[in-house]
Amino acid sequence: MSEGINAALEFRNVDILFDRGNRRGAIEAALARLDAGETREEIGRALKVTVGVAGANLAVARGEISVLMGLSGSGKSTLLRAANRLNRPIRGEVRIGNGLAWLDIARCDDDTLRTLRKTRIAMVFQQFGLLPWRTVRDNVGFGLELRGMAPSIRRDIVAEKLELVGLANWADAHVHELSGGMQQRVGLARAFATDADILLMDEPFSALDPLIRRKLQDELLDLQKRLKKTILFVSHDIDEALKIGSRITIMREGRIVQTGTPDDIALRPVDDYVAEFIRHMNPLPTIVAAAVMRRFQDLPRRPDGMLDGGRIAIAPDAAIATIADRALAIRSHGAWTQGALCVVPAQLSLGEIIALRQRSGLPVLVEAEGRLVGLCDDADILQALCGEARFRAG
Amino acid sequence: MAPEQWIAEHKIPVGAVMAAVVDVVRKHGLAVFDVITDSVGFCADGLTTLLLALPPLLLVVAAMAGAWFLRRSAGLAALVALGLLFIINQGYWNETMATLSLILFSTVFCMAVGVPLGIACAHRPRLAQALQPLLDLMQTLPTFVYLIPTLILFGLGTVPGMISTIIFAVPAPIRMTQMGIARVPRSLIEAGEAFGATGRQILWKIELPAALPMIQAGLTQCIMLSLSMVVIAALVGAGGLGVPVVRALNTVQVDAGFESGFVIVLLAIMLDRVCRPKDSAS
């Protein structure tokens, strides 16, 4: 697999089944039925075996944030937990690059597994998983303590990681004195403390209220720019997935439905299930100017040679713009003043475009690679908001 | 012949079997039981002697300081001091010390056996299932019934009293420890596993600290159950606060009965307040 070469973590044909009935041979029988194409409802009813994940293939590249998305019960957490064998795959490999060789987490011995968990793979939990009788410092140092590191060395590392998540003044507090958002920062610091290169995040922000959630997402993205971890992130929130994911994998009933970049998912959903997720996303932070704008090359020409942008007219070289034959100044969006046309970068979000359109009362011009390439007026914004056509451009 | 008569005539020898078992154990294990009796009796009686050798007021001050050190509560320290002074005032100091050392020994033994057994039960549901009827039996079988073989095997004195106390009290720490460990949230165990903890590290760094309040509740229960056995212990010759109760009962002395009864209650309250788990912070 060509993708595998750069992958830090790779799932290959992973099946995860849970035996609820403890009957001898139930798992083997379930695998046979799975291979014969039976659905997981049929298998569950007949054998009391739950199919958590079936036939999952996924490569997570070094330094990327890969998001697993799906409804509850879709197997996303189950698959994530296979990455450090909290769930052990019945079949298939979970490979992690170890020096020059691959190591199969699903089959390695217990000592190797513990070493991997102590040094390579850290985890952040939805319910934080902090030890309530310990101080923040001792929670963050937990992983290092398990390694047998001396308290004096531990202390410095813990202080550094607490600094990283902005909790330097809270080292001696007890966990229950902290708000939910702060508790999850402790969870993050604990995961960073072991300097693991792979981070598993199991709906880490789902238990937080929306404002705090967004703040922590921003902080995570900010930290990721510096730390460049390989992150596998489970979410049931499409906005979260689109915001933080460099790749998104959609799961349904234990199977992977689609894997791709956020654009792939948003613009080219493979089926109705994926499209349904996209329909419910919040377009304001997600859709960018490039996808909203009408491109200059698509605009009709007026008799005088200017491009017809509806309310405004623009010279083909995009040097002059007029409204009702009155010339308009063109200013970039940092230096914009009242009465001038505002120029924004192609990656600006729809929400910000709307704000600028509202303040200027004029269409917003879009710039890419130093050239003006398109404009967004009310009709374009409305079209982007109402769906369907919003996905036309990349 | 009426059927019930037939049933009655073919009696299943439950009592005879138990008697035979005790007899065999006594014949072949007498030396062992003698050693247990002598060593345990020596330690418990030795502790009583030691406590009695110290000046009572010094012990009162020490107990007060201990209560303050453990709970940081002036009210509790005052309660302990006043309670002990009341006991001196009523003239039951010697009996109280004998009871304390008996409780101390049986509680230490119960915890030493009960906590590991409780942990094992929490980790092995089969063991818990197997132990369940035995624990029920220990708590419900009338004490006087197993007092008889205990007397045969250990003779009169402190040790049979202590054995009966232990049989009655040890299920509490076993059950509370088991419950405490079994109730540790799965997410905490998984957090430990995810960071590479060994089974032993999970036990010491996660399960035991998380179960500590329950284990402490087991300790308090164990002390209270032991205290409730003092009168029965006195019946088989153990010293302590049960002795004046038994004596008062035999001679129908209302005043002495209530005096010693109050002292037992007072001791129970003091021990409970000092040992009970702290109200967990929200």
Side-chain angles (χ1 to χ4, degrees):
Chain A
M1 211 184 275
S2 63
E3 260 182 331
I5 295 166
N6 291 320
L9 181 67
E10 193 181 358
F11 299 90
R12 304 182 95 189
N13 305 315
V14 169
D15 294 324
I16 303 173
L17 291 84
F18 303 103
D19 187 359
R20 287 176 285 133
N22 274 325
R23 242 184 318 152
R24 188 178 289 272
I27 292 283
E28 288 72 20
L31 285 175
R33 286 182 183 229
L34 195 64
D35 293 339
E38 282 191 40
T39 67
R40 68 176 192 170
E41 278 73 32
E42 289 167 340
I43 295 171
R45 235 178 299 122
L47 296 166
K48 285 201 161 51
V49 170
T50 307
V51 179
V53 171
N57 280 297
L58 178 67
V60 184
R62 213 169 291 287
E64 79 169 354
I65 302 183
S66 182
V67 180
L68 296 173
M69 267 279 308
L71 302 174
S72 51
S74 60
K76 54 194 191 305
S77 279
T78 310
L79 184 60
L80 174 98
R81 290 157 54 91
N84 63 356
R85 210 160 95 185
L86 284 182
N87 292 335
R88 189 175 191 159
I90 299 286
R91 267 195 319 203
E93 285 177 48
V94 180
R95 304 203 307 176
I96 178 174
N98 192 25
L100 292 173
W102 286 102
L103 217 148
D104 183 8
I105 296 173
R107 301 281 168 264
C108 67
D109 61 71
D110 286 355
D111 278 343
T112 313
L113 176 66
R114 268 197 295 275
T115 308
L116 284 176
R117 285 169 165 182
K118 278 180 195 163
T119 56
R120 297 287 313 277
I121 310 171
M123 189 160 179
V124 181
F125 297 85
Q126 180 177 8
Q127 298 301 336
F128 318 140
L130 303 175
L131 307 179
W133 56 88
R134 287 176 169 230
T135 60
V136 167
R137 172 181 290 119
D138 290 343
N139 264 293
V140 173
F142 181 61
L144 303 174
E145 185 184 323
L146 292 178
R147 274 192 216 167
M149 184 184 280
S152 52
I153 309 172
R154 213 155 72 203
R155 215 181 155 86
D156 292 343
I157 299 177
V158 168
E160 179 198 327
K161 304 302 173 187
L162 279 175
E163 186 77 40
L164 202 63
V165 298
L167 287 179
N169 295 327
W170 293 85
D172 293 312
H174 274 268
V175 171
H176 60 81
E177 297 170 57
L178 272 57
S179 68
M182 289 161 87
Q183 290 192 25
Q184 195 55 301
R185 287 203 190 97
V186 177
L188 271 174
R190 176 174 68 178
F192 290 146
T194 60
D195 275 322
D197 55 325
I198 296 173
L199 209 55
L200 307 176
M201 306 184 80
D202 190 359
E203 302 209 30
F205 307 143
S206 299
L208 306 173
D209 63 62
L211 277 178
I212 305 293
R213 190 185 312 160
R214 244 166 276 151
K215 191 156 182 290
L216 278 176
Q217 289 163 356
D218 292 333
E219 286 179 17
L220 176 66
L221 287 174
D222 208 45
L223 287 170
Q224 172 67 357
K225 274 184 205 143
R226 279 184 281 161
L227 301 174
K228 305 248 191 300
K229 305 264 183 197
T230 303
I231 301 180
L232 188 57
F233 190 108
V234 165
S235 177
H236 62 249
D237 176 356
I238 184 73
D239 295 319
E240 183 171 72
L242 291 169
K243 177 174 178 179
I244 68 166
S246 39
R247 281 179 90 75
I248 298 174
T249 299
I250 311 266
M251 293 190 69
R252 178 190 197 179
E253 291 178 4
R255 291 183 183 276
I256 291 177
V257 181
Q258 185 176 5
T259 297
T261 62
D263 275 350
D264 288 336
I265 301 287
L267 307 175
R268 291 174 284 280
V270 291
D271 63 10
D272 287 347
Y273 179 78
V274 180
E276 185 65 21
F277 273 116
I278 299 303
R279 260 194 286 287
H280 293 296
M281 75 177 180
N282 174 8
L284 296 182
T286 317
I287 299 186
V288 295
V292 178
M293 69 180 183
R294 253 178 303 158
R295 284 178 294 179
F296 284 166
Q297 64 199 64
D298 297 337
L299 292 179
R301 275 175 196 265
R302 300 201 310 191
D304 62 1
M306 298 280 272
L307 295 169
D308 184 359
R311 282 195 288 161
I312 62 169
I314 303 144
D317 59 358
I320 312 161
T322 61
I323 182 165
D325 294 330
R326 199 159 46 79
L328 284 170
I330 299 176
R331 296 267 159 74
S332 77
H333 106 277
W336 176 79
T337 53
Q338 193 71 39
L341 276 172
C342 182
V343 178
V344 302
Q347 291 310 309
L348 201 71
S349 72
L350 179 58
E352 289 179 81
I353 294 171
I354 292 176
L356 287 168
R357 150 71 189 80
Q358 202 54 23
R359 266 194 286 159
S360 68
L362 295 167
V364 174
L365 299 181
V366 181
E367 172 188 56
E369 289 156 4
R371 286 178 42 239
L372 291 180
V373 291
L375 79 134
C376 308
D377 204 350
D378 298 0
D380 310 301
I381 291 168
L382 288 176
Q383 192 168 26
L385 281 173
C386 76
E388 307 309 314
R390 86 162 69 128
F391 309 120
R392 68 212 153 122
Chain B
M1 193 162 58
E4 63 269 21
Q5 206 180 344
W6 182 86
I7 293 174
E9 268 174 17
H10 295 78
K11 185 177 176 184
I12 301 166
V14 175
V17 167
M18 289 310 290
V21 168
V22 171
D23 206 41
V24 167
V25 170
R26 190 178 68 93
K27 256 185 205 144
H28 298 280
L30 201 58
V32 178
F33 289 107
D34 279 350
V35 170
I36 297 176
T37 312
D38 288 349
S39 52
V40 175
F42 177 78
C43 291
D45 293 340
L47 182 65
T48 312
T49 316
L50 179 70
L51 287 173
L52 287 175
L54 296 169
L57 286 179
L58 184 70
L59 272 180
V60 173
V61 173
M64 197 172 79
W68 167 258
F69 179 76
L70 282 172
R71 312 306 299 231
R72 308 273 157 199
S73 151
L76 184 66
L79 175 85
V80 168
L82 288 176
L84 290 175
L85 288 175
F86 176 76
I87 290 171
I88 295 176
N89 171 267
Q90 294 294 303
Y92 288 97
W93 182 257
N94 290 2
E95 288 83 353
T96 305
M97 289 306 112
T99 293
L100 264 183
S101 79
L102 187 132
I103 289 176
L104 188 75
F105 265 91
S106 43
T107 303
V108 166
F109 182 85
C110 284
M111 295 307 282
V113 171
V115 172
L117 212 52
I119 294 168
C121 282
H123 289 162
R124 296 171 187 78
R126 288 244 176 89
L127 177 65
Q129 266 175 15
L131 218 53
Q132 187 72 20
L134 183 64
L135 296 183
D136 288 339
L137 189 76
M138 288 162 81
Q139 285 195 306
T140 49
L141 193 70
T143 318
F144 288 102
V145 174
Y146 55 81
L147 218 48
I148 309 164
T150 328
L151 271 179
I152 294 174
L153 296 176
F154 297 99
L156 279 173
T158 310
V159 177
M162 204 183 283
I163 304 271
S164 313
T165 306
I166 287 170
I167 292 177
F168 187 61
V170 79
I174 297 177
R175 288 206 162 120
M176 295 300 265
T177 305
Q178 180 196 351
M179 210 185 299
I181 300 270
R183 279 191 191 166
V184 177
R186 186 83 203 112
S187 58
L188 292 190
I189 310 262
E190 283 186 346
E193 286 176 354
F195 283 94
T198 59
R200 186 177 297 186
Q201 282 174 322
I202 285 178
L203 176 67
W204 284 101
K205 291 180 191 292
I206 294 175
E207 288 181 318
L208 281 177
L212 196 61
M214 287 290 265
I215 295 174
Q216 217 176 343
L219 169 71
T220 315
Q221 265 195 23
C222 184
I223 292 174
M224 293 301 116
L225 292 174
S226 310
L227 207 49
S228 72
M229 288 290 284
V230 285
V231 175
I232 286 168
L235 277 181
V236 291
L241 285 165
V243 177
V245 176
V246 173
R247 200 187 304 133
L249 181 68
N250 289 337
T251 54
V252 200
Q253 281 180 300
V254 177
D255 54 346
F258 271 100
E259 278 171 18
S260 40
F262 275 136
V263 169
I264 293 175
V265 171
L266 201 58
L267 195 60
I269 293 175
M270 289 189 291
L271 287 172
D272 176 62
R273 295 297 184 278
V274 173
C275 298
R276 74 160 51 164
K278 292 190 178 90
D279 293 330
S280 56
S282 58

